[in-house]
Amino acid sequence: AIIHLGYEMKDAGSDSDDEFDYLLDEDISNSSEIDMQAQRRAELEAKAEQYQILRQYGYGVHRQIHPSRVLASVGFGGSCEDGVVPRGAVVHLYDAYSPLSVSLDLCLEGMASRYPGTKFVRGLGKASLLSVNDDDTSHRWKNGHLPMLLALKEGAVVSFSSGLRDFNNAGQVESGAVEQWLGIAGALSDTPPPMGAVCRVRSEEELRLDNVINLHGGLSCDGMASTDKDAEIVNDRYNCGVDGCNKSFF
């Protein structure tokens, strides 16, 4: 009787273990966990894309801009190529033959990563000043000496350093003085603009697209389409969707 009871207990134990064997089955996937992983992956990809787009415009990185666009790229004049006038911007109007310009570039390259909400751009000084279409004579910085550093808030120049005299230390730029000067001017921000507010179509891409159309005879000299087919192509251009941005894309 004792032996028989032992066999029954053993069988009962085996049966009770079998009902939980599915927990050890590696072939059965957890759908909720997979969904969470996919969502997290999508979030990381969106963050990486946002980071790349912001860097293309000069947020968190010191970027070279064509002289004709360097001031417009930071919202000077009330509009901006990416659709957002940055809360803070730093513009280096450099002199290609000045050691101080080289020293300042190195300083700004190291500083830019600490302030992803600020645009850091540089442009050839003399050509950039000649490209300014503003006739306001109260802007004393236009008559300053190169190289020059401009601090902007909401597209307006709030401070400038003519000849970099505020940072010159024995022929080199004092990094601490530059950061302090920009901080007092209110040009430094560590909060980047939201993703939906920044246009993903860069000005260079739009210009390249226009050049391709022109090379293929798509537009005449006055900007009108030369054929019905080309007119259809031009009419297929859509606004990018960002408020205040005038660029378009196919």
Side-chain angles (χ1 to χ4, degrees):
I2 295 175
I3 295 174
H4 181 68
L5 179 61
Y7 278 119
E8 289 181 351
M9 293 178 63
K10 182 178 179 181
D11 294 340
S14 300
D15 293 340
S16 62
D17 291 339
D18 291 341
E19 64 179 300
F20 297 105
D21 285 347
Y22 75 94
L23 296 175
L24 303 177
D25 191 353
E26 298 179 355
D27 295 332
I28 300 179
S29 60
N30 191 328
S31 59
S32 61
E33 183 179 352
I34 293 176
D35 292 341
M36 274 191 347
Q37 290 177 354
Q39 182 179 359
R40 180 57 178 163
R41 188 180 301 110
E43 291 175 355
L44 292 174
E45 291 175 353
K47 284 287 186 182
E49 183 181 10
Q50 178 185 13
Y51 178 71
Q52 181 181 8
I53 292 172
L54 291 177
R55 284 176 62 90
Q56 289 175 350
Y57 283 111
Y59 287 100
V61 65
H62 192 39
R63 186 167 182 267
Q64 171 81 21
I65 303 290
H66 191 273
S68 64
R69 294 174 34 241
V70 63
L71 288 168
S73 70
V74 294
F76 182 77
S79 61
C80 198
E81 63 180 6
D82 58 358
V84 178
V85 176
R87 283 174 289 181
V90 179
V91 179
H92 176 202
L93 301 179
Y94 68 89
D95 180 355
Y97 300 98
S98 171
L100 276 176
S101 272
V102 177
S103 179
L104 181 61
D105 278 334
L106 294 174
C107 168
L108 295 178
E109 286 174 4
M111 188 188 307
S113 60
R114 300 197 295 272
Y115 299 99
T118 297
K119 273 191 176 183
F120 290 82
V121 299
R122 67 192 296 267
L124 186 60
K126 187 174 292 186
S128 299
L129 291 174
L130 291 174
S131 300
V132 178
N133 296 323
D134 186 25
D135 296 328
D136 192 343
T137 56
S138 64
H139 294 157
R140 294 184 296 112
W141 58 271
K142 295 179 184 177
N143 298 320
H145 298 287
L146 298 174
M148 187 188 308
L149 186 65
L150 305 178
L152 293 89
K153 286 183 64 177
E154 303 291 342
V157 178
V158 294
S159 188
F160 71 97
S161 179
S162 177
L164 305 182
R165 62 178 182 270
D166 301 287
F167 326 116
N168 191 350
N169 182 12
Q172 295 291 318
V173 165
E174 182 63 40
S175 299
V178 174
E179 189 164 4
Q180 183 180 16
W181 183 82
L182 292 172
I184 293 174
L188 299 179
S189 172
D190 56 5
T191 304
M195 185 60 192
V198 178
C199 177
R200 303 187 184 190
V201 183
R202 293 176 55 192
S203 296
E204 294 91 337
E205 296 172 351
E206 187 183 32
L207 292 173
R208 188 183 306 117
L209 182 60
D210 290 338
N211 287 335
V212 170
I213 295 176
N214 290 329
L215 287 173
H216 286 79
L219 297 177
S220 61
C221 295
D222 59 358
M224 300 299 293
S226 58
T227 65
D228 294 339
K229 182 178 179 181
D230 296 325
E232 183 179 353
I233 293 177
V234 174
N235 291 330
D236 281 341
R237 302 185 73 170
Y238 301 91
N239 186 278
C240 70
V242 175
D243 292 338
C245 181
N246 298 318
K247 293 195 296 296
S248 53
F249 62 95
F250 278 115

